[in-house]
């Protein structure tokens, strides 16, 4: 339990505090996600979501490499590098980014346009690059903690698979392969990261850094949905140059 | 050929300019290397070399991760990540760092002491961290160019294997496994990096950045031998706290 003389949390208390942050701040509570999962969005709005989320997906290997670049503990590097392989693909193996492009393909978005990220909302880019930068600048334990939104991902992925399949005629089981794979990967990754953080955040200052990192990361995800909501739902003010569903003949 | 109106070198000219830098500045020309290869060093001096060089080896995966963290071109990331796997090891596979520890083991150095890097010369640490930092702060093409000392490595490795086997009773074939493996890995890696640099350094400014990067990297290697020479050969002034062969009962 909390040591009153030092303010240091026990590992179980730290986990509880992390889970509380996720419960209050994870982006499954955002109005855009409710709309997405309940079938309330148009094709254009789902396209905008998938297109912007690609920007986040594409940055994840840079984020993981930035983390590794700060780590002198070789065993942590050896564990963490599999995230880069999982997401970028490796040798003949496809990665998570390929699986995300299966989704954008199926939504009728041109692959070159998606990969170019030309139509991404500026606020998405800012949030994503803030995440890469955060990981590059903080200590390994704090950087690892910023990945702990994975603790809350499987529920949202299950909800998303069921909701999108049920509610959108343009979504089929095969295009949701990204989320199905993450149902296996995310719990393993999250369990390792949570264990690492509980073992290595031992001082009050480190524990506060870890809690702040998860709050920061929740903000990174939340801000992306705020931007989507403002541009494509209400007030629906699409920034200059950003993807406009009404302009592009993008459905194949 | 050099375009006089722009000052831009052809790819072949750029390669020539890079090879000229290596010819003039690669650390095979350093007096310490001559001593190492010709059998002129004591066991203690060879220990000091292997111990300090471990510091460099241990930092290489961080350097490569720093490079990947800057790369938005996924195909470059997918190629480069194998360097991290080669050097850190991956799954059940040992890496280059393990093979370096075979050498330090065989020289009678305590493995925990080597890995702790407690006895490393400060100048070694400064040079090595300057390299990691350089790669983290420069564009991918410049960062890639800083690895091009690999072009000149196979010759030095061959010379080292032959010279050390012939001249030191405490060096056997089996402990030089690191260098044998690098005879295969370095040419492949260097060829990829050289080709990447020749294709991607297209402006005068990029080409100058690439040439400066190789000069910088030669300095990183040279400075490490300068520090070894000053501490352990002449004048032989070992800095406080650094490895002292006369103090440690380190030969098993």
């Amino acid at each position: 339990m909390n040591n009153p003389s030092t303010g240091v949390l026990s590992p179980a208390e730290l986990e509880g505090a992390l889970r509380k942050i996720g419960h209050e701040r994870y982006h499954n509570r955002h109005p855009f996600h409710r709309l997405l999962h309940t079938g309330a969005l148009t094709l254009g709005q789902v396209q905008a979501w998938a297109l912007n989320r690609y920007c986040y997906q594409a940055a994840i290997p840079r984020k993981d490499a930035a983390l590794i670049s700060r780590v002198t503990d070789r065993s942590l590097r050896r564990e963490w590098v599999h995230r880069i392989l999982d997401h970028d693909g490796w040798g003949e193996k496809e990665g998570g980014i390929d699986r995300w492009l299966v989704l954008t393909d199926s939504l009728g978005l041109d692959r070159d346009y998606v990969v170019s990220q030309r139509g991404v909302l500026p606020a998405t880019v800012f949030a994503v690059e803030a995440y890469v930068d955060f990981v590059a600048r903080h200590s390994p334990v704090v950087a690892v903690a910023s990945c702990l939104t994975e603790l809350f991902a499987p529920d949202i992925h299950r909800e998303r698979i069921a909701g999108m399949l049920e509610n959108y005629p343009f979504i089929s089981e095969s295009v949701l392969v990204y989320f199905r794979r993450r149902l296996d990967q995310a719990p393993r990754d999250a369990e390792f990261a949570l264990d690492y953080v509980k073992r290595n955040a031992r001082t009050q200052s480190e524990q506060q850094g870890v809690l702040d990192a998860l709050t920061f990361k929740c903000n990174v995800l939340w801000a992306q949905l705020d931007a989507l909501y403002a541009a494509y739902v209400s007030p629906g003010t699409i920034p200059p140059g950003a993807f406009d569903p009404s302009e592009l003949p993008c459905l194949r």
Side-chain angles (χ1 to χ4, degrees), chain A residues 1-250:
Chain A
M1 67 176 267
N2 189 323
N3 183 328
S5 67
T6 63
V8 174
L9 304 177
S10 69
E13 285 172 330
L14 182 60
E15 177 173 345
L18 288 163
R19 290 193 182 276
K20 183 162 182 287
I21 289 169
H23 182 71
E24 292 170 355
R25 291 174 169 273
Y26 193 54
H27 63 171
N28 63 329
R29 301 171 69 94
H30 195 284
F32 192 90
H33 257 312
R34 302 275 171 91
L35 297 175
L36 179 66
H37 293 169
T38 56
L41 297 182
T42 64
L43 171 62
Q45 290 167 327
V46 176
Q47 287 173 326
W49 166 74
L51 179 79
N52 277 272
R53 178 80 184 189
Y54 175 82
C55 173
Y56 176 78
Q57 302 292 358
I60 295 302
R62 286 193 287 122
K63 179 271 294 181
D64 287 317
L67 190 149
I68 292 173
S69 77
R70 299 289 305 276
V71 172
T72 55
D73 170 359
R74 190 173 157 213
S75 64
L76 177 57
R77 291 201 304 262
R78 283 175 56 117
E79 163 61 32
W80 211 265
V81 73
H82 87 83
R83 290 171 177 251
I84 297 180
L85 305 181
D86 284 350
H87 211 61
D88 261 341
W90 163 241
E92 300 296 307
K93 280 192 186 165
E94 64 167 25
I97 293 175
D98 298 298
R99 290 187 282 274
W100 195 267
L101 290 169
V102 169
L103 174 64
T104 56
D105 285 349
S106 80
L107 292 170
L109 291 164
D110 179 75
R111 191 175 273 221
D112 289 343
Y113 178 72
V114 173
V115 171
S116 77
Q117 302 188 33
R118 282 201 310 278
V120 167
L121 295 167
T124 303
V125 180
F126 300 155
V128 165
E129 294 304 325
Y131 182 30
V132 177
D133 196 54
F134 181 93
V135 168
R137 288 174 191 278
H138 285 79
S139 67
V141 70
V142 168
V144 167
S146 71
C147 307
L148 284 175
T149 45
E150 286 166 346
L151 283 171
F152 320 113
D155 284 349
I156 205 174
H157 286 342
R158 264 187 290 270
E159 191 183 0
R160 189 174 289 157
I161 291 169
M164 293 184 76
L165 279 176
E166 187 175 343
N167 293 309
Y168 296 108
F170 48 85
I171 295 285
S172 68
E173 176 78 32
S174 63
V175 309
L176 296 178
V177 60
Y178 174 84
F179 302 109
R180 290 245 178 254
R181 180 63 73 91
R182 289 302 295 164
L183 287 178
D184 298 331
Q185 289 172 340
R188 173 187 181 280
D189 289 351
E191 194 175 336
F192 175 87
L194 179 60
D195 181 63
Y196 183 88
V197 165
K198 286 163 71 178
R199 281 187 295 110
N200 289 281
R202 300 292 199 76
T203 67
Q204 191 178 19
S205 158
E206 286 167 338
Q207 292 183 339
Q208 192 58 52
V210 155
L211 295 168
D212 291 347
L214 182 56
T215 298
F216 166 83
K217 172 64 177 303
C218 286
N219 291 345
V220 165
L221 297 175
W222 192 275
Q224 292 177 64
L225 296 188
D226 275 350
L228 282 166
Y229 199 92
Y232 298 105
V233 181
S234 171
T237 310
I238 299 172
F243 170 69
D244 184 341
S246 72
E247 283 184 359
L248 282 177
C250 53

